[in-house]
Amino acid sequence: MPRHRKKRGPRRKRPDSAQLSPVQREELLTGLAYPALGQSFDSDAQRRQAWQRHRDELIAYWTTPADPDAPRGDLGSPRPGGPGLRPWGWWRYDAPEPRQRIAGKGEPVDGSPLAFGVPTRWRQLDGDDPPRHETEREYLERCNLLEPFDDPSRGPTTPPQLWNAPPGGVSLDYARQVLDGTPAMGRRIRQACQRHLDDLRHGHQRGLSWDDTRARHFHRWFDFLTLTSAEWAGRPCELQTWQAFGIELLGGWRDTKGYRRFRTAFWFVARKAGKSTLVGGVGNYLLVADGEPAAQVYAAAIDKAQARIVYEEAEAFVLEQPHLAKIIETRRDHMRHGRSRFRPLPRGAKKFHGFSPHGGLIDELHVHPDDEVVSVLRTGTGARRQPLLFIITTAGDSEESPAYEEYSHAGKVLDGAIDDDQYFPLVFEIDDEEGWKDPAQWVQANPGVGISPKRDYLAAIVRECENRPSKRADNLRYQLNYWIIGGASTWLPYDRWKRCHRGVGDLELRQQLLGEECYGGLDLAAVSDFAAFALFFPGRNMLLVWHWTPGEGLAERSKKDRAPLDRWAKAGWIDATPGRTVDFDKVRETILEQRRLYRLVELGYDDWNALQITGQLRDAGLPCEKVGRGFAGLSGPSQYLEKLVLEESLEHGNNPVLNWQASHCEVKRDGDDIRPHKPAKESARRKVDGLVASVMAIARWLKTGADRKDSVYNRRHREGKWRSIVI
């Protein structure tokens, strides 16, 4: 039988060795290699041979006077420097010796490679007095290597550029400027800059090092991308200084093994700062240029539509830039580069076989109800050498969100309370509570103000905040990055509520109050929902509150209510009783137990669903009195609680469940009368039972005990004459 040969496709044409590919040209000019973008050098010998062949051409290009309007996005055509400068290849193969250091403090890593005659890897740098080397022109004069084309009359020589910056790069200049007060950034950014300078000085003691080449490599990547929207469409994606600072730190810092130091980046910045665009560029870098075989990159979000926002920004970069379009295949639901993949990942999506993310990108974490997405990405990176979880978000409105947890952790890292060398926080926020009124302080939350967002846009937002109080909370949160707990309709000012806790823990508070006189409030609500019991101690204006909820389905209700009910139950703040309903027997037992520990004078209750339990409590000897849920029953005690909060004279023990309820509880009004209730728009998932029980407890004290003199038992307890009771 005749043999049938497999039909072959067209034979690939070998590249002409006499011509440089764009990637090869980039490397000989700047020293930055991006082999994934096209034909690169296989060895240093091949690179040297190419330099010798194209030396005169490349030097002629590099010494051309710089044109500030020349495009930077065309791969292989970085902006030249001007007379008296030399490209990277000349310094690599022709320079007789390195440039001399003339001042500054710093210690390079042993055997550090050179770029433009200067070490690129540094064991230690002094940010206040960084190493300074002779200029390229001074070097050429000293070595008698100046050529006729180096005549300054041909045109100006630009300052050192990205690929030829002094040790520390653009990021060091930005850090020093911020700490000098120009621009006048907020406290958290000053802390981030100071942390960077401190690590340059002392990070080597923890095995850290700084790599200028890797910092430039990540920064330069964005020059290859082309913007696709608004007035900037068609222009190169040139990073703003605050963005360059963050990107260079992500790329430049290395751990003891030489891999990327930072595994998690949390960037907190107001809207209209180009967050999605920036994250899309980071995703493409992780897919193509980070040197990770079979990289998996995920744009994760709360739903499919949000996940696709970042993914489509990254996809648009690919479609707009021919060099990327040649090497990245775009499909309906993912992009492919060799064995590497970039996918959108909505919350709750079925995980892919072999889920092992190299990059996780999360935009607007503040809308996530729980930490499911963060946890899935973080725990999936164990097999990767240098994974990156990149989170960027605007302020939210809840302390019980994963965004606030990351925000709090970021603050502790910047304060030095937590040592976390793998965590990189950038927190752009206005320090002054009234700073949003001052245009000079807008830059603290909007580092790109003037570019994006525009100043007139922010001025209009501020005017709306002043003229329309109902819009103030959302505007301050989204546009000026204030973390607003509770909206304009929230009853209790949350900042004052938080200041009502003066550092006394709940257990310590309970010990202090043993034997003191108190009044109780009980709100049972539905048997399948929350129940709450509160004790108010009028002698000290202190509250103790207990909560119960059914244990069955608690994890699902945590997601629905966007609150960590399951975590609070594990910590003991909520008693999750077995089954689908609240176990009222446990409620009764807890009340009677507290009566033995404290002098519970009387219990106020709402009679809905309380007939049986209150009858049992009366049989046990506890006086129980009904408190009406209308204005007549709750207005007076509600106003008294409000007064204590405004005066910051209440102590609530920092109960997180009660804090959560205070952050969204509203009031209904009838003239001067008020009573607490759930927010109308979200009544199904916003609970206020603990606050209602607290108001009921205050109601019974106001009704029967407010006019009584201080109890002899309380005086004896404070004087140390009351016998101690141990819980």
PDB file of all heavy atoms in Angstrom, residues 464-491:
ATOM      1  N   GLU A 464     -22.172  69.448  45.757  1.00  0.00           N
ATOM      2  CA  GLU A 464     -23.344  68.608  45.995  1.00  0.00           C
ATOM      3  C   GLU A 464     -23.365  68.095  47.430  1.00  0.00           C
ATOM      4  O   GLU A 464     -24.426  67.999  48.057  1.00  0.00           O
ATOM      5  CB  GLU A 464     -23.365  67.434  45.018  1.00  0.00           C
ATOM      6  CG  GLU A 464     -24.637  66.608  45.103  1.00  0.00           C
ATOM      7  CD  GLU A 464     -24.713  65.544  44.035  1.00  0.00           C
ATOM      8  OE1 GLU A 464     -23.703  64.832  43.834  1.00  0.00           O
ATOM      9  OE2 GLU A 464     -25.779  65.407  43.410  1.00  0.00           O
ATOM     10  N   CYS A 465     -22.196  67.776  47.980  1.00  0.00           N
ATOM     11  CA  CYS A 465     -22.121  67.343  49.381  1.00  0.00           C
ATOM     12  C   CYS A 465     -22.616  68.443  50.310  1.00  0.00           C
ATOM     13  O   CYS A 465     -23.287  68.169  51.322  1.00  0.00           O
ATOM     14  CB  CYS A 465     -20.688  66.964  49.742  1.00  0.00           C
ATOM     15  SG  CYS A 465     -20.107  65.435  48.988  1.00  0.00           S
ATOM     16  N   GLU A 466     -22.267  69.677  49.992  1.00  0.00           N
ATOM     17  CA  GLU A 466     -22.659  70.797  50.852  1.00  0.00           C
ATOM     18  C   GLU A 466     -24.141  71.139  50.707  1.00  0.00           C
ATOM     19  O   GLU A 466     -24.795  71.507  51.695  1.00  0.00           O
ATOM     20  CB  GLU A 466     -21.804  72.017  50.519  1.00  0.00           C
ATOM     21  CG  GLU A 466     -20.330  71.831  50.859  1.00  0.00           C
ATOM     22  CD  GLU A 466     -19.466  72.972  50.359  1.00  0.00           C
ATOM     23  OE1 GLU A 466     -19.852  73.649  49.372  1.00  0.00           O
ATOM     24  OE2 GLU A 466     -18.391  73.186  50.949  1.00  0.00           O
ATOM     25  N   ASN A 467     -24.678  70.986  49.505  1.00  0.00           N
ATOM     26  CA  ASN A 467     -26.052  71.426  49.243  1.00  0.00           C
ATOM     27  C   ASN A 467     -27.085  70.318  49.384  1.00  0.00           C
ATOM     28  O   ASN A 467     -28.269  70.615  49.578  1.00  0.00           O
ATOM     29  CB  ASN A 467     -26.144  72.017  47.827  1.00  0.00           C
ATOM     30  CG  ASN A 467     -25.252  73.232  47.655  1.00  0.00           C
ATOM     31  OD1 ASN A 467     -25.019  73.974  48.608  1.00  0.00           O
ATOM     32  ND2 ASN A 467     -24.746  73.435  46.444  1.00  0.00           N
ATOM     33  N   ARG A 468     -26.661  69.072  49.283  1.00  0.00           N
ATOM     34  CA  ARG A 468     -27.606  67.957  49.363  1.00  0.00           C
ATOM     35  C   ARG A 468     -27.080  66.931  50.363  1.00  0.00           C
ATOM     36  O   ARG A 468     -26.389  65.973  49.992  1.00  0.00           O
ATOM     37  CB  ARG A 468     -27.798  67.319  47.992  1.00  0.00           C
ATOM     38  CG  ARG A 468     -28.311  68.285  46.927  1.00  0.00           C
ATOM     39  CD  ARG A 468     -28.487  67.596  45.587  1.00  0.00           C
ATOM     40  NE  ARG A 468     -29.520  66.572  45.638  1.00  0.00           N
ATOM     41  CZ  ARG A 468     -29.802  65.745  44.619  1.00  0.00           C
ATOM     42  NH1 ARG A 468     -29.113  65.849  43.490  1.00  0.00           N
ATOM     43  NH2 ARG A 468     -30.750  64.836  44.722  1.00  0.00           N
ATOM     44  N   PRO A 469     -27.370  67.098  51.646  1.00  0.00           N
ATOM     45  CA  PRO A 469     -26.849  66.190  52.684  1.00  0.00           C
ATOM     46  C   PRO A 469     -27.161  64.721  52.418  1.00  0.00           C
ATOM     47  O   PRO A 469     -26.390  63.841  52.805  1.00  0.00           O
ATOM     48  CB  PRO A 469     -27.538  66.693  53.954  1.00  0.00           C
ATOM     49  CG  PRO A 469     -27.845  68.127  53.679  1.00  0.00           C
ATOM     50  CD  PRO A 469     -28.165  68.196  52.220  1.00  0.00           C
ATOM     51  N   SER A 470     -28.295  64.432  51.756  1.00  0.00           N
ATOM     52  CA  SER A 470     -28.657  63.043  51.501  1.00  0.00           C
ATOM     53  C   SER A 470     -27.665  62.359  50.564  1.00  0.00           C
ATOM     54  O   SER A 470     -27.569  61.128  50.548  1.00  0.00           O
ATOM     55  CB  SER A 470     -30.064  62.969  50.902  1.00  0.00           C
ATOM     56  OG  SER A 470     -30.116  63.641  49.649  1.00  0.00           O
ATOM     57  N   LYS A 471     -26.936  63.134  49.754  1.00  0.00           N
ATOM     58  CA  LYS A 471     -25.959  62.581  48.817  1.00  0.00           C
ATOM     59  C   LYS A 471     -24.544  62.564  49.399  1.00  0.00           C
ATOM     60  O   LYS A 471     -23.626  62.043  48.771  1.00  0.00           O
ATOM     61  CB  LYS A 471     -25.942  63.404  47.521  1.00  0.00           C
ATOM     62  CG  LYS A 471     -27.261  63.421  46.762  1.00  0.00           C
ATOM     63  CD  LYS A 471     -27.534  62.078  46.123  1.00  0.00           C
ATOM     64  CE  LYS A 471     -28.764  62.124  45.240  1.00  0.00           C
ATOM     65  NZ  LYS A 471     -29.060  60.810  44.629  1.00  0.00           N
ATOM     66  N   ARG A 472     -24.378  63.155  50.573  1.00  0.00           N
ATOM     67  CA  ARG A 472     -23.024  63.359  51.094  1.00  0.00           C
ATOM     68  C   ARG A 472     -22.293  62.046  51.349  1.00  0.00           C
ATOM     69  O   ARG A 472     -21.124  61.886  50.978  1.00  0.00           O
ATOM     70  CB  ARG A 472     -23.082  64.191  52.378  1.00  0.00           C
ATOM     71  CG  ARG A 472     -21.700  64.494  52.960  1.00  0.00           C
ATOM     72  CD  ARG A 472     -21.804  65.434  54.141  1.00  0.00           C
ATOM     73  NE  ARG A 472     -22.414  66.700  53.745  1.00  0.00           N
ATOM     74  CZ  ARG A 472     -22.729  67.658  54.602  1.00  0.00           C
ATOM     75  NH1 ARG A 472     -22.516  67.479  55.902  1.00  0.00           N
ATOM     76  NH2 ARG A 472     -23.272  68.784  54.179  1.00  0.00           N
ATOM     77  N   ALA A 473     -22.962  61.086  51.995  1.00  0.00           N
ATOM     78  CA  ALA A 473     -22.276  59.849  52.370  1.00  0.00           C
ATOM     79  C   ALA A 473     -21.724  59.127  51.141  1.00  0.00           C
ATOM     80  O   ALA A 473     -20.551  58.727  51.114  1.00  0.00           O
ATOM     81  CB  ALA A 473     -23.229  58.943  53.148  1.00  0.00           C
ATOM     82  N   ASP A 474     -22.562  58.943  50.106  1.00  0.00           N
ATOM     83  CA  ASP A 474     -22.106  58.230  48.907  1.00  0.00           C
ATOM     84  C   ASP A 474     -21.009  58.996  48.178  1.00  0.00           C
ATOM     85  O   ASP A 474     -20.031  58.400  47.702  1.00  0.00           O
ATOM     86  CB  ASP A 474     -23.277  57.992  47.956  1.00  0.00           C
ATOM     87  CG  ASP A 474     -24.190  56.873  48.437  1.00  0.00           C
ATOM     88  OD1 ASP A 474     -23.768  56.133  49.349  1.00  0.00           O
ATOM     89  OD2 ASP A 474     -25.309  56.756  47.924  1.00  0.00           O
ATOM     90  N   ASN A 475     -21.139  60.314  48.079  1.00  0.00           N
ATOM     91  CA  ASN A 475     -20.118  61.097  47.383  1.00  0.00           C
ATOM     92  C   ASN A 475     -18.782  61.055  48.112  1.00  0.00           C
ATOM     93  O   ASN A 475     -17.718  60.913  47.492  1.00  0.00           O
ATOM     94  CB  ASN A 475     -20.583  62.545  47.222  1.00  0.00           C
ATOM     95  CG  ASN A 475     -21.562  62.727  46.074  1.00  0.00           C
ATOM     96  OD1 ASN A 475     -21.564  61.933  45.136  1.00  0.00           O
ATOM     97  ND2 ASN A 475     -22.398  63.748  46.143  1.00  0.00           N
ATOM     98  N   LEU A 476     -18.826  61.191  49.429  1.00  0.00           N
ATOM     99  CA  LEU A 476     -17.579  61.160  50.188  1.00  0.00           C
ATOM    100  C   LEU A 476     -16.928  59.783  50.108  1.00  0.00           C
ATOM    101  O   LEU A 476     -15.700  59.667  50.065  1.00  0.00           O
ATOM    102  CB  LEU A 476     -17.843  61.534  51.653  1.00  0.00           C
ATOM    103  CG  LEU A 476     -18.250  62.984  51.920  1.00  0.00           C
ATOM    104  CD1 LEU A 476     -18.415  63.216  53.415  1.00  0.00           C
ATOM    105  CD2 LEU A 476     -17.227  63.956  51.366  1.00  0.00           C
ATOM    106  N   ARG A 477     -17.745  58.760  50.059  1.00  0.00           N
ATOM    107  CA  ARG A 477     -17.195  57.398  50.014  1.00  0.00           C
ATOM    108  C   ARG A 477     -16.581  57.093  48.654  1.00  0.00           C
ATOM    109  O   ARG A 477     -15.431  56.629  48.565  1.00  0.00           O
ATOM    110  CB  ARG A 477     -18.305  56.392  50.340  1.00  0.00           C
ATOM    111  CG  ARG A 477     -17.849  54.947  50.341  1.00  0.00           C
ATOM    112  CD  ARG A 477     -18.778  54.095  51.177  1.00  0.00           C
ATOM    113  NE  ARG A 477     -20.091  53.983  50.583  1.00  0.00           N
ATOM    114  CZ  ARG A 477     -20.461  52.996  49.748  1.00  0.00           C
ATOM    115  NH1 ARG A 477     -19.571  52.083  49.407  1.00  0.00           N
ATOM    116  NH2 ARG A 477     -21.679  52.937  49.274  1.00  0.00           N
ATOM    117  N   TYR A 478     -17.320  57.345  47.587  1.00  0.00           N
ATOM    118  CA  TYR A 478     -16.856  56.944  46.264  1.00  0.00           C
ATOM    119  C   TYR A 478     -15.819  57.899  45.680  1.00  0.00           C
ATOM    120  O   TYR A 478     -14.823  57.466  45.103  1.00  0.00           O
ATOM    121  CB  TYR A 478     -18.040  56.849  45.300  1.00  0.00           C
ATOM    122  CG  TYR A 478     -18.996  55.727  45.614  1.00  0.00           C
ATOM    123  CD1 TYR A 478     -20.368  55.954  45.695  1.00  0.00           C
ATOM    124  CD2 TYR A 478     -18.533  54.436  45.836  1.00  0.00           C
ATOM    125  CE1 TYR A 478     -21.252  54.923  45.978  1.00  0.00           C
ATOM    126  CE2 TYR A 478     -19.408  53.400  46.124  1.00  0.00           C
ATOM    127  CZ  TYR A 478     -20.763  53.648  46.193  1.00  0.00           C
ATOM    128  OH  TYR A 478     -21.625  52.627  46.478  1.00  0.00           O
ATOM    129  N   GLN A 479     -16.041  59.202  45.827  1.00  0.00           N
ATOM    130  CA  GLN A 479     -15.202  60.169  45.124  1.00  0.00           C
ATOM    131  C   GLN A 479     -14.049  60.691  45.972  1.00  0.00           C
ATOM    132  O   GLN A 479     -13.046  61.144  45.423  1.00  0.00           O
ATOM    133  CB  GLN A 479     -16.049  61.355  44.638  1.00  0.00           C
ATOM    134  CG  GLN A 479     -17.338  60.967  43.924  1.00  0.00           C
ATOM    135  CD  GLN A 479     -17.110  60.104  42.691  1.00  0.00           C
ATOM    136  OE1 GLN A 479     -16.007  60.044  42.166  1.00  0.00           O
ATOM    137  NE2 GLN A 479     -18.145  59.427  42.237  1.00  0.00           N
ATOM    138  N   LEU A 480     -14.202  60.640  47.310  1.00  0.00           N
ATOM    139  CA  LEU A 480     -13.150  61.164  48.179  1.00  0.00           C
ATOM    140  C   LEU A 480     -12.644  60.116  49.163  1.00  0.00           C
ATOM    141  O   LEU A 480     -11.844  60.410  50.035  1.00  0.00           O
ATOM    142  CB  LEU A 480     -13.661  62.405  48.911  1.00  0.00           C
ATOM    143  CG  LEU A 480     -13.906  63.573  47.940  1.00  0.00           C
ATOM    144  CD1 LEU A 480     -14.927  64.550  48.515  1.00  0.00           C
ATOM    145  CD2 LEU A 480     -12.623  64.301  47.612  1.00  0.00           C
ATOM    146  N   ASN A 481     -13.116  58.873  48.984  1.00  0.00           N
ATOM    147  CA  ASN A 481     -12.535  57.695  49.630  1.00  0.00           C
ATOM    148  C   ASN A 481     -12.614  57.719  51.153  1.00  0.00           C
ATOM    149  O   ASN A 481     -11.722  57.211  51.831  1.00  0.00           O
ATOM    150  CB  ASN A 481     -11.076  57.499  49.186  1.00  0.00           C
ATOM    151  CG  ASN A 481     -10.756  56.032  48.955  1.00  0.00           C
ATOM    152  OD1 ASN A 481     -11.639  55.250  48.604  1.00  0.00           O
ATOM    153  ND2 ASN A 481      -9.514  55.657  49.153  1.00  0.00           N
ATOM    154  N   TYR A 482     -13.674  58.298  51.703  1.00  0.00           N
ATOM    155  CA  TYR A 482     -13.925  58.198  53.136  1.00  0.00           C
ATOM    156  C   TYR A 482     -14.649  56.882  53.411  1.00  0.00           C
ATOM    157  O   TYR A 482     -15.633  56.563  52.733  1.00  0.00           O
ATOM    158  CB  TYR A 482     -14.808  59.349  53.626  1.00  0.00           C
ATOM    159  CG  TYR A 482     -14.090  60.660  53.811  1.00  0.00           C
ATOM    160  CD1 TYR A 482     -13.979  61.565  52.768  1.00  0.00           C
ATOM    161  CD2 TYR A 482     -13.537  60.998  55.039  1.00  0.00           C
ATOM    162  CE1 TYR A 482     -13.341  62.780  52.935  1.00  0.00           C
ATOM    163  CE2 TYR A 482     -12.892  62.210  55.224  1.00  0.00           C
ATOM    164  CZ  TYR A 482     -12.796  63.098  54.172  1.00  0.00           C
ATOM    165  OH  TYR A 482     -12.160  64.303  54.350  1.00  0.00           O
ATOM    166  N   TRP A 483     -14.185  56.144  54.397  1.00  0.00           N
ATOM    167  CA  TRP A 483     -14.890  54.934  54.785  1.00  0.00           C
ATOM    168  C   TRP A 483     -16.090  55.367  55.632  1.00  0.00           C
ATOM    169  O   TRP A 483     -15.951  55.722  56.792  1.00  0.00           O
ATOM    170  CB  TRP A 483     -13.988  53.991  55.571  1.00  0.00           C
ATOM    171  CG  TRP A 483     -14.501  52.591  55.513  1.00  0.00           C
ATOM    172  CD1 TRP A 483     -15.528  52.078  56.226  1.00  0.00           C
ATOM    173  CD2 TRP A 483     -14.036  51.541  54.667  1.00  0.00           C
ATOM    174  NE1 TRP A 483     -15.746  50.778  55.878  1.00  0.00           N
ATOM    175  CE2 TRP A 483     -14.842  50.413  54.924  1.00  0.00           C
ATOM    176  CE3 TRP A 483     -13.029  51.449  53.716  1.00  0.00           C
ATOM    177  CZ2 TRP A 483     -14.657  49.198  54.265  1.00  0.00           C
ATOM    178  CZ3 TRP A 483     -12.861  50.238  53.074  1.00  0.00           C
ATOM    179  CH2 TRP A 483     -13.653  49.128  53.346  1.00  0.00           C
ATOM    180  N   ILE A 484     -17.285  55.334  55.033  1.00  0.00           N
ATOM    181  CA  ILE A 484     -18.503  55.815  55.677  1.00  0.00           C
ATOM    182  C   ILE A 484     -19.274  54.618  56.224  1.00  0.00           C
ATOM    183  O   ILE A 484     -19.818  53.814  55.457  1.00  0.00           O
ATOM    184  CB  ILE A 484     -19.397  56.603  54.705  1.00  0.00           C
ATOM    185  CG1 ILE A 484     -18.609  57.745  54.068  1.00  0.00           C
ATOM    186  CG2 ILE A 484     -20.640  57.113  55.414  1.00  0.00           C
ATOM    187  CD1 ILE A 484     -18.216  58.839  55.024  1.00  0.00           C
ATOM    188  N   ILE A 485     -19.325  54.482  57.542  1.00  0.00           N
ATOM    189  CA  ILE A 485     -20.110  53.430  58.174  1.00  0.00           C
ATOM    190  C   ILE A 485     -21.490  54.005  58.458  1.00  0.00           C
ATOM    191  O   ILE A 485     -21.659  54.884  59.302  1.00  0.00           O
ATOM    192  CB  ILE A 485     -19.462  52.933  59.482  1.00  0.00           C
ATOM    193  CG1 ILE A 485     -17.999  52.558  59.234  1.00  0.00           C
ATOM    194  CG2 ILE A 485     -20.241  51.759  60.038  1.00  0.00           C
ATOM    195  CD1 ILE A 485     -17.792  51.451  58.241  1.00  0.00           C
ATOM    196  N   GLY A 486     -22.485  53.507  57.746  1.00  0.00           N
ATOM    197  CA  GLY A 486     -23.824  54.077  57.872  1.00  0.00           C
ATOM    198  C   GLY A 486     -23.997  55.220  56.890  1.00  0.00           C
ATOM    199  O   GLY A 486     -23.068  55.974  56.614  1.00  0.00           O
ATOM    200  N   GLY A 487     -25.217  55.349  56.361  1.00  0.00           N
ATOM    201  CA  GLY A 487     -25.480  56.405  55.398  1.00  0.00           C
ATOM    202  C   GLY A 487     -26.061  57.630  56.054  1.00  0.00           C
ATOM    203  O   GLY A 487     -26.057  57.786  57.274  1.00  0.00           O
ATOM    204  N   ALA A 488     -26.580  58.511  55.212  1.00  0.00           N
ATOM    205  CA  ALA A 488     -27.114  59.768  55.723  1.00  0.00           C
ATOM    206  C   ALA A 488     -28.313  59.533  56.625  1.00  0.00           C
ATOM    207  O   ALA A 488     -28.608  60.347  57.504  1.00  0.00           O
ATOM    208  CB  ALA A 488     -27.501  60.665  54.547  1.00  0.00           C
ATOM    209  N   SER A 489     -29.038  58.412  56.432  1.00  0.00           N
ATOM    210  CA  SER A 489     -30.235  58.153  57.225  1.00  0.00           C
ATOM    211  C   SER A 489     -29.961  57.342  58.482  1.00  0.00           C
ATOM    212  O   SER A 489     -30.887  57.029  59.236  1.00  0.00           O
ATOM    213  CB  SER A 489     -31.268  57.420  56.356  1.00  0.00           C
ATOM    214  OG  SER A 489     -30.729  56.200  55.872  1.00  0.00           O
ATOM    215  N   THR A 490     -28.714  56.956  58.724  1.00  0.00           N
ATOM    216  CA  THR A 490     -28.393  56.162  59.910  1.00  0.00           C
ATOM    217  C   THR A 490     -28.647  56.969  61.173  1.00  0.00           C
ATOM    218  O   THR A 490     -28.323  58.157  61.251  1.00  0.00           O
ATOM    219  CB  THR A 490     -26.925  55.708  59.852  1.00  0.00           C
ATOM    220  OG1 THR A 490     -26.725  54.957  58.667  1.00  0.00           O
ATOM    221  CG2 THR A 490     -26.575  54.852  61.051  1.00  0.00           C
ATOM    222  N   TRP A 491     -29.197  56.307  62.163  1.00  0.00           N
ATOM    223  CA  TRP A 491     -29.613  56.977  63.397  1.00  0.00           C
ATOM    224  C   TRP A 491     -28.424  57.484  64.215  1.00  0.00           C
ATOM    225  O   TRP A 491     -28.286  58.676  64.484  1.00  0.00           O
ATOM    226  CB  TRP A 491     -30.469  55.998  64.217  1.00  0.00           C
ATOM    227  CG  TRP A 491     -30.835  56.467  65.593  1.00  0.00           C
ATOM    228  CD1 TRP A 491     -31.037  57.757  66.001  1.00  0.00           C
ATOM    229  CD2 TRP A 491     -31.061  55.647  66.742  1.00  0.00           C
ATOM    230  NE1 TRP A 491     -31.381  57.797  67.335  1.00  0.00           N
ATOM    231  CE2 TRP A 491     -31.406  56.503  67.817  1.00  0.00           C
ATOM    232  CE3 TRP A 491     -31.017  54.275  66.971  1.00  0.00           C
ATOM    233  CZ2 TRP A 491     -31.684  56.029  69.100  1.00  0.00           C
ATOM    234  CZ3 TRP A 491     -31.312  53.800  68.240  1.00  0.00           C
ATOM    235  CH2 TRP A 491     -31.643  54.670  69.289  1.00  0.00           C
TER     236      TRP A 491
END
